[in-house]
Amino acid sequence: MNNITHNPEAKSAPSFAPQPDVMASNLYVPDTGVLTPESALPARVQWKKRNDQKTLTSALAGRALLGMDLYTAAPIRTGNRYPQQRNYHGYYWHSAARMQLWHESLLERSILMWLDHSEDIVAIATQPFTILFADGTEHVPDFIALHANNKQVVYDVKPLWRINDNAAEQFRKTKAVCDEVGWTYEVHTELSEPLASNLAWVQMFRHPRFYPGLASVQQLTDALTEPVSLDAIAALLPDLTLGNARAAVYHLVWERILDADLTQPLSNTSLIRKASHAND
């Protein structure tokens, strides 16, 4: 029986932008027009370094924070378990950052998974810092990430049905602080179906052990002059069993070397195409 083994070439493969219509489907855009600036600024930011989690570091929200590497911070809180708890705490293994990331809900895990697949993130921290607003309130954003293009993005995650006036005001204040620092700010809500289910399936093949090798990837991308079914592509890997070949295809979809429409139910007859820059 043939097995797909770990290959260090896996992470040297190119990555590509997600489908634009899918990428924006779960974004909530804070309305900044109603914000009273003095309610947010001046603000302070507090965090713990990953190599010194006993010391709390604090700085005024400003451009200097861009050089503080907060995307490497330790979680400033991890939460407590209690009877009849409704949110699910746990860890998600981020395939690009190569580390376990703490999350405080299944929705956070879902968005971590989506960002892992759709964005070129090189470092990320969860529950990374506390913002102390000028009005005496405070907020812990859910993530901050460093992207491959050096952009730093702060993320909040909240179900759409829970974005009330208080949450909207908090998002507006957080965006004002992010603008002051130079961070991009995004609020993510639920992923649509079947995108969420498809992503949960494909992420199971994200580990490099499913990478079929550079020669096989080149063979597949050269052969894909037009979209074909998943099983037809799997048949182009004769050295692998059908199951292992399908797993390799799913891995390449996760890595965005191959492209599938994740807004439609996935099956063995789903059309797979070469990603737009697969041979760059």
Side-chain angles (χ1 to χ4, degrees):
M1 181 174 179
N2 296 317
N3 294 310
I4 300 175
T5 57
H6 171 79
N7 191 312
E9 299 168 338
K11 281 299 171 181
S12 65
S15 60
F16 315 100
Q19 303 167 56
D21 57 326
V22 175
M23 185 171 66
S25 62
N26 65 312
L27 285 177
Y28 168 84
V29 180
D31 176 12
T32 57
V34 187
L35 178 66
T36 304
E38 56 267 22
S39 67
L41 301 170
R44 296 196 67 84
V45 175
Q46 294 180 338
W47 70 97
K48 296 178 181 178
K49 296 179 181 179
R50 195 168 289 168
N51 60 357
D52 182 14
Q53 298 185 26
K54 294 182 179 180
T55 303
L56 193 64
T57 304
S58 178
L60 189 67
R63 294 283 170 174
L65 283 177
L66 288 175
M68 298 290 187
D69 299 344
L70 268 66
Y71 44 81
T72 66
I76 201 160
R77 70 180 186 200
T78 54
N80 297 314
R81 297 187 183 276
Y82 51 87
Q84 300 180 341
Q85 182 173 331
R86 298 177 64 182
N87 58 318
Y88 179 84
H89 295 174
Y91 288 91
Y92 171 77
W93 183 76
H94 194 281
S95 62
R98 299 303 184 103
M99 63 182 298
Q100 295 278 9
L101 297 174
W102 171 260
H103 61 80
E104 296 184 330
S105 69
L106 289 177
L107 180 56
E108 283 188 19
R109 183 186 187 279
S110 178
I111 299 305
L112 281 172
M113 183 170 57
W114 166 242
L115 295 174
D116 192 11
H117 168 68
S118 65
E119 300 288 349
D120 289 321
I121 289 173
V122 297
I124 185 170
T126 58
Q127 283 71 54
F129 53 80
T130 301
I131 301 174
L132 306 174
F133 298 112
D135 62 5
T137 61
E138 60 185 57
H139 174 54
V140 177
D142 292 307
F143 323 132
I144 182 172
L146 174 67
H147 292 235
N149 62 1
N150 287 322
K151 180 173 69 173
Q152 297 183 32
V153 184
V154 173
Y155 297 94
D156 267 316
V157 177
K158 205 171 193 67
L160 188 58
W161 65 271
R162 291 190 59 194
I163 300 180
N164 53 24
D165 290 344
N166 289 336
E169 175 67 10
Q170 185 179 75
F171 295 151
R172 287 192 290 268
K173 292 193 297 185
T174 302
K175 186 179 187 307
V177 172
C178 289
D179 289 346
E180 186 75 8
V181 175
W183 291 321
T184 300
Y185 181 58
E186 294 182 3
V187 179
H188 286 252
T189 63
E190 301 89 336
L191 297 175
S192 62
E193 287 291 351
L195 173 60
S197 296
N198 286 337
L199 198 60
W201 171 255
V202 174
Q203 64 90 27
M204 292 192 292
F205 303 94
R206 68 191 189 276
H207 195 281
R209 70 173 176 269
F210 294 110
Y211 184 71
L214 188 59
S216 293
V217 170
Q218 190 67 50
Q219 176 186 354
L220 292 181
T221 55
D222 287 346
L224 279 174
T225 57
E226 59 182 14
V228 298
S229 71
L230 188 148
D231 269 1
I233 297 177
L236 297 176
L237 298 172
D239 293 337
L240 302 176
T241 64
L242 179 58
N244 282 348
R246 287 172 177 162
V249 173
Y250 283 128
H251 175 79
L252 297 178
V253 169
W254 171 264
E255 289 292 328
R256 292 174 288 154
I257 297 169
L258 301 180
D259 183 40
D261 185 358
L262 298 182
T263 66
Q264 300 299 319
L266 278 178
S267 71
N268 295 332
T269 60
S270 293
L271 292 180
I272 308 294
R273 59 187 61 81
K274 178 172 61 176
S276 58
H277 298 92
N279 288 330
D280 284 5

Coordinates of all heavy atoms in Angstrom, one line a residue, residues 48-96:
K48 N 1.3 40.4 27.2 CA 2.4 39.6 27.8 C 3.2 39.0 26.7 O 2.7 38.4 25.8 CB 1.7 38.5 28.7 CG 0.9 39.0 29.9 CD 0.3 37.8 30.6 CE -0.5 38.2 31.8 NZ -1.1 37.1 32.5
K49 N 4.5 39.0 26.9 CA 5.4 38.4 25.9 C 5.4 36.9 26.1 O 5.2 36.4 27.2 CB 6.8 39.0 26.1 CG 7.0 40.5 25.8 CD 8.4 40.9 26.0 CE 8.5 42.4 25.8 NZ 9.9 42.9 26.0
R50 N 5.6 36.2 25.0 CA 5.5 34.8 25.0 C 6.6 34.1 25.9 O 6.4 33.1 26.5 CB 5.5 34.2 23.6 CG 5.1 32.8 23.4 CD 4.9 32.4 22.0 NE 3.7 33.1 21.4 CZ 3.5 33.2 20.1 NH1 4.3 32.6 19.2 NH2 2.4 33.8 19.7
N51 N 7.7 34.8 25.9 CA 8.8 34.3 26.7 C 8.9 34.8 28.1 O 9.8 34.6 28.9 CB 10.2 34.5 26.0 CG 10.4 36.0 25.8 OD1 9.6 36.8 26.1 ND2 11.6 36.3 25.2
D52 N 7.9 35.6 28.5 CA 7.8 36.2 29.9 C 6.4 36.5 30.2 O 6.0 37.7 30.2 CB 8.7 37.5 29.9 CG 8.7 38.1 31.3 OD1 8.3 37.4 32.3 OD2 9.1 39.3 31.5
Q53 N 5.6 35.5 30.5 CA 4.2 35.6 30.7 C 3.8 36.1 32.1 O 2.6 36.3 32.3 CB 3.5 34.3 30.4 CG 3.7 33.8 29.0 CD 3.0 32.6 28.6 OE1 1.9 32.3 29.2 NE2 3.5 31.8 27.7
K54 N 4.8 36.4 32.9 CA 4.5 36.9 34.2 C 4.5 38.5 34.3 O 4.0 39.1 35.2 CB 5.5 36.4 35.3 CG 5.4 34.9 35.5 CD 6.4 34.4 36.6 CE 6.2 32.9 36.8 NZ 7.2 32.4 37.9
T55 N 5.1 39.0 33.2 CA 5.3 40.5 33.2 C 4.3 41.1 32.2 O 4.1 40.7 31.1 CB 6.7 40.9 32.7 OG1 7.6 40.3 33.6 CG2 6.9 42.4 32.7
L56 N 3.5 42.1 32.7 CA 2.6 42.8 31.9 C 3.2 44.1 31.3 O 3.7 44.9 32.0 CB 1.4 43.2 32.7 CG 0.1 43.7 31.9 CD1 -0.4 42.6 31.1 CD2 -0.9 44.2 32.9
T57 N 3.3 44.1 30.0 CA 3.9 45.3 29.3 C 2.7 46.2 28.8 O 1.7 45.8 28.4 CB 4.7 44.8 28.1 OG1 5.7 43.9 28.5 CG2 5.4 46.0 27.4
S58 N 3.0 47.5 28.9 CA 1.9 48.5 28.6 C 2.6 49.6 27.8 O 3.7 50.0 28.0 CB 1.3 49.1 29.9 OG 0.4 50.1 29.6
A59 N 1.8 50.1 26.8 CA 2.3 51.2 25.9 C 1.1 52.0 25.4 O 0.0 51.5 25.3 CB 3.1 50.7 24.8
L60 N 1.3 53.3 25.2 CA 0.3 54.1 24.6 C 0.0 53.7 23.2 O 0.9 53.3 22.4 CB 0.7 55.6 24.6 CG -0.3 56.6 24.2 CD1 -1.4 56.7 25.3 CD2 0.4 58.0 24.1
A61 N -1.3 53.6 22.8 CA -1.6 53.2 21.4 C -1.1 54.3 20.4 O -1.6 55.4 20.4 CB -3.2 53.1 21.3
G62 N -0.2 53.9 19.6 CA 0.5 54.7 18.6 C 1.3 53.9 17.7 O 1.4 52.7 17.8
R63 N 1.9 54.6 16.7 CA 2.7 53.9 15.7 C 3.8 53.0 16.2 O 4.2 52.1 15.6 CB 3.3 55.0 14.7 CG 2.2 55.7 13.9 CD 1.7 54.9 12.8 NE 0.5 55.5 12.2 CZ -0.1 55.1 11.1 NH1 0.4 54.0 10.5 NH2 -1.2 55.7 10.6
A64 N 4.3 53.3 17.4 CA 5.4 52.6 17.9 C 5.0 51.1 18.1 O 5.9 50.2 18.1 CB 5.9 53.2 19.2
L65 N 3.7 50.8 18.3 CA 3.3 49.5 18.6 C 3.5 48.6 17.4 O 3.5 47.3 17.5 CB 1.8 49.5 19.0 CG 1.5 49.9 20.4 CD1 0.0 49.9 20.6 CD2 2.1 48.9 21.4
L66 N 3.6 49.2 16.2 CA 3.9 48.3 15.0 C 5.2 47.6 15.1 O 5.3 46.5 14.5 CB 3.9 49.2 13.7 CG 2.5 49.7 13.3 CD1 2.7 50.7 12.1 CD2 1.6 48.6 12.9
G67 N 6.1 48.1 15.9 CA 7.4 47.5 16.0 C 7.5 46.6 17.3 O 8.6 46.1 17.6
M68 N 6.4 46.4 18.0 CA 6.4 45.7 19.2 C 6.2 44.2 19.1 O 6.2 43.4 20.0 CB 5.4 46.2 20.2 CG 5.7 47.7 20.6 SD 7.2 47.8 21.7 CE 7.1 49.6 22.1
D69 N 5.9 43.7 17.8 CA 5.7 42.3 17.5 C 4.6 41.7 18.4 O 4.7 40.6 18.9 CB 7.0 41.5 17.7 CG 8.1 41.9 16.8 OD1 7.8 42.7 15.8 OD2 9.2 41.6 17.0
L70 N 3.4 42.4 18.5 CA 2.4 41.9 19.3 C 1.8 40.6 18.8 O 1.1 39.9 19.5 CB 1.3 42.9 19.5 CG 1.5 43.8 20.8 CD1 2.7 44.6 20.7 CD2 0.2 44.6 21.1
Y71 N 2.0 40.3 17.5 CA 1.6 39.0 16.9 C 2.3 37.8 17.5 O 2.1 36.7 17.1 CB 1.7 39.1 15.4 CG 3.0 39.7 14.9 CD1 4.1 38.9 14.8 CD2 3.0 41.0 14.5 CE1 5.3 39.5 14.4 CE2 4.2 41.6 14.1 CZ 5.4 40.8 14.0 OH 6.6 41.3 13.6
T72 N 3.3 38.1 18.3 CA 4.0 37.0 19.0 C 3.6 36.9 20.5 O 4.3 36.2 21.3 CB 5.5 37.1 18.9 OG1 6.0 38.3 19.6 CG2 6.0 37.2 17.4
A73 N 2.7 37.7 20.9 CA 2.3 37.8 22.4 C 1.6 36.5 22.8 O 1.1 35.8 22.1 CB 1.3 39.0 22.6
A74 N 1.8 36.3 24.1 CA 1.0 35.2 24.8 C -0.4 35.6 25.0 O -0.7 36.8 25.1 CB 1.7 34.8 26.1
P75 N -1.3 34.7 25.1 CA -2.7 35.0 25.4 C -2.8 35.8 26.7 O -2.3 35.3 27.7 CB -3.5 33.7 25.5 CG -2.6 32.7 24.6 CD -1.2 33.2 24.8
I76 N -3.4 36.9 26.7 CA -3.5 37.7 27.9 C -4.6 37.1 28.8 O -4.7 37.4 30.0 CB -3.8 39.2 27.6 CG1 -3.4 40.0 28.9 CG2 -5.2 39.4 27.2 CD1 -3.1 41.5 28.5
R77 N -5.4 36.2 28.3 CA -6.4 35.5 29.1 C -6.7 34.2 28.4 O -6.5 34.1 27.2 CB -7.7 36.3 29.3 CG -8.5 36.4 28.0 CD -9.8 37.1 28.1 NE -10.6 37.1 26.9 CZ -11.6 37.9 26.5 NH1 -11.9 38.9 27.4 NH2 -12.2 37.8 25.4
T78 N -7.0 33.1 29.2 CA -7.3 31.8 28.6 C -8.7 31.3 29.0 O -9.1 30.3 28.5 CB -6.2 30.8 28.9 OG1 -6.1 30.8 30.3 CG2 -4.9 31.1 28.2
G79 N -9.3 32.0 30.0 CA -10.7 31.6 30.4 C -10.7 30.4 31.3 O -9.7 29.7 31.4
N80 N -11.8 30.2 32.0 CA -12.0 29.1 32.9 C -13.1 28.3 32.4 O -14.1 28.7 31.9 CB -12.3 29.7 34.3 CG -11.1 30.5 34.9 OD1 -10.0 30.0 34.8 ND2 -11.4 31.6 35.4
R81 N -13.0 27.0 32.7 CA -14.1 26.1 32.4 C -15.1 26.0 33.6 O -14.6 26.1 34.8 CB -13.6 24.7 32.1 CG -12.7 24.6 30.9 CD -12.4 23.2 30.5 NE -11.5 23.1 29.4 CZ -11.9 23.1 28.1 NH1 -13.2 23.2 27.9 NH2 -11.1 23.0 27.1
Y82 N -16.3 25.9 33.4 CA -17.3 25.9 34.5 C -18.5 25.0 34.0 O -18.7 24.8 32.8 CB -17.8 27.3 34.8 CG -18.2 28.1 33.7 CD1 -19.5 28.1 33.2 CD2 -17.3 29.0 33.0 CE1 -19.9 28.9 32.2 CE2 -17.7 29.7 31.9 CZ -19.0 29.7 31.5 OH -19.4 30.5 30.4
P83 N -19.3 24.5 35.0 CA -20.5 23.7 34.6 C -21.5 24.4 33.7 O -21.7 25.6 33.8 CB -21.1 23.4 36.0 CG -20.0 23.6 36.9 CD -19.2 24.7 36.4
Q84 N -22.0 23.7 32.7 CA -23.0 24.2 31.7 C -22.4 25.3 30.9 O -23.1 26.2 30.4 CB -24.2 24.6 32.4 CG -24.9 23.5 33.2 CD -26.2 23.9 33.8 OE1 -26.5 25.1 34.1 NE2 -27.1 23.0 34.2
Q85 N -21.1 25.3 30.7 CA -20.4 26.3 29.9 C -20.9 26.2 28.4 O -21.0 25.1 27.9 CB -18.9 26.1 29.9 CG -18.1 27.1 29.1 CD -16.6 27.0 29.3 OE1 -16.2 26.6 30.4 NE2 -15.9 27.4 28.3
R86 N -21.3 27.3 27.8 CA -21.8 27.3 26.4 C -20.8 27.4 25.3 O -21.0 27.0 24.2 CB -22.9 28.4 26.3 CG -24.1 28.2 27.3 CD -25.1 29.3 27.2 NE -25.7 29.3 25.9 CZ -26.6 30.3 25.5 NH1 -26.9 31.2 26.3 NH2 -27.2 30.2 24.3
N87 N -19.7 28.2 25.6 CA -18.7 28.3 24.6 C -17.6 27.3 24.8 O -17.4 26.8 25.9 CB -18.1 29.7 24.6 CG -17.5 30.1 26.0 OD1 -18.1 29.8 27.0 ND2 -16.3 30.7 26.0
Y88 N -17.0 26.9 23.7 CA -16.0 25.8 23.7 C -14.6 26.3 23.6 O -14.2 27.0 22.7 CB -16.3 24.8 22.5 CG -15.3 23.7 22.5 CD1 -15.5 22.5 23.2 CD2 -14.2 23.8 21.6 CE1 -14.6 21.5 23.1 CE2 -13.3 22.7 21.6 CZ -13.5 21.6 22.3 OH -12.6 20.5 22.2
H89 N -13.8 26.1 24.7 CA -12.4 26.5 24.7 C -11.5 25.3 24.1 O -11.9 24.2 24.2 CB -11.9 26.8 26.1 CG -12.6 28.0 26.7 ND1 -12.4 28.3 28.1 CD2 -13.4 28.9 26.2 CE1 -13.1 29.4 28.3 NE2 -13.7 29.7 27.2
G90 N -10.4 25.7 23.5 CA -9.5 24.7 23.0 C -8.4 25.3 22.2 O -8.1 26.4 22.3
Y91 N -7.8 24.4 21.4 CA -6.6 24.8 20.6 C -6.8 24.4 19.1 O -7.5 23.4 18.8 CB -5.3 24.1 21.1 CG -4.8 24.6 22.4 CD1 -5.2 24.1 23.6 CD2 -4.0 25.7 22.5 CE1 -4.8 24.5 24.8 CE2 -3.5 26.2 23.7 CZ -3.9 25.6 24.9 OH -3.5 26.1 26.1
Y92 N -6.3 25.3 18.3 CA -6.3 25.0 16.8 C -4.9 25.0 16.4 O -4.1 26.0 16.6 CB -7.1 26.0 16.1 CG -7.0 25.9 14.6 CD1 -7.7 24.9 13.9 CD2 -6.2 26.8 13.8 CE1 -7.5 24.8 12.5 CE2 -6.0 26.7 12.5 CZ -6.7 25.7 11.8 OH -6.5 25.5 10.4
W93 N -4.4 24.0 15.7 CA -3.1 23.9 15.1 C -3.1 24.7 13.8 O -3.7 24.3 12.8 CB -2.6 22.5 14.9 CG -1.2 22.4 14.4 CD1 -0.1 22.6 15.1 CD2 -0.8 22.1 13.0 NE1 1.0 22.4 14.3 CE2 0.6 22.1 13.0 CE3 -1.4 21.9 11.8 CZ2 1.4 21.9 11.9 CZ3 -0.7 21.6 10.7 CH2 0.7 21.7 10.7
H94 N -2.4 25.9 13.8 CA -2.3 26.7 12.6 C -1.2 26.2 11.7 O 0.0 26.2 12.1 CB -2.0 28.2 13.1 CG -2.3 29.2 12.1 ND1 -1.4 29.5 11.1 CD2 -3.3 30.0 11.8 CE1 -1.8 30.4 10.3 NE2 -3.0 30.8 10.7
S95 N -1.5 25.8 10.5 CA -0.6 25.1 9.7 C 0.5 26.1 9.1 O 1.6 25.7 8.9 CB -1.3 24.5 8.5 OG -2.0 25.4 7.7
A96 N 0.2 27.4 9.0 CA 1.1 28.3 8.5 C 2.1 28.8 9.6 O 3.3 28.8 9.4 CB 0.5 29.5 7.8

